[in-house]
Amino acid sequence: MINEALEALNNGEIVLVFDSDNRERETDMIVAAEFMTPQYMTQIRNDAGGLFCVPLSSENSDALGVPFMTDIMEIASSEYPVLGELNPNDIPYDEKSAFSITVNHRKTFTGITDNDRACTIKELALLCKNGKQNEFGKYFRAPGHVTLLRAAKGHVINRKGHTEMSIALMEMAGLTEVAVCCEMMDDKTGGSLPTEEAKKYAEEHGLVFMSGADLIKAYNDFKKSG
Ligand code: 5RP
Ligand code: CA
Ligand code: CA
Ligand code: ZN
Ligand code: ZN
């Protein structure tokens, strides 16, 4: 299963990952950001429909200099006290949110179109791939239409969100540790897409579906094998 997933990611394909019954109970579509295209934007927007986010390894986040949104809010709360009152200390499924800032590439127009978002996502991956993280502000502006997520240091060892699972997949696949994830929503119920239907989508589209438990086990084995 994991080998199929890593091969698919290296071929620029989408992989589906369900986190766990003890967490969000959501399946995200995940793809390597370096392979992002406008066609994927269209497919993921229509077929997944959640929020497009870009998980970054904690190393890439540090190199880019992007903080957690909660850290920005805490610092800014001396000037804007409501930002302190909005403290997300009651998330029902996890201790901490992975949200960072939102960005657009400076080449984009509004930033929201499939062409624009694919450009922002792919260019950010290439910036990191080429070790040019210190030129972030030269090529990107904020706020924008692509949400960045900061993976925890050591990713899945310390937090078991799609953010960290996306980065674990990129690491195992030997890809730039910048990903895209988007939750699969259910058009019929207004809820998240049930796991069985996400599995069905994977079968119908020839995609790999993985559980978070299998992914984390594969990562632990990967680490053990050195
Ligand atoms: C951003 C989210 C999604 O759940 C996404 O999967 C990343 O978050 P997490 O790491 O908490 O799973 O909240 O749309
Ligand atoms: Ca849909
Ligand atoms: Ca989340
Ligand atoms: Zn607008
Ligand atoms: Zn998630």
Side-chain angles (χ1 to χ4, degrees), residues 19 23-24 26 28 51-53 93-94 96-99 149 159-164 181 183:
D19 62 345
R23 199 173 172 276
E24 294 179 324
E26 285 174 353
D28 280 22
L51 186 66
F52 273 82
C53 291
Y93 59 82
D94 209 328
K96 209 171 180 286
S97 142
F99 280 121
L149 302 174
R159 186 174 180 274
K160 295 179 179 15
H162 291 99
T163 307
E164 288 74 20
C181 68
E183 306 95 335

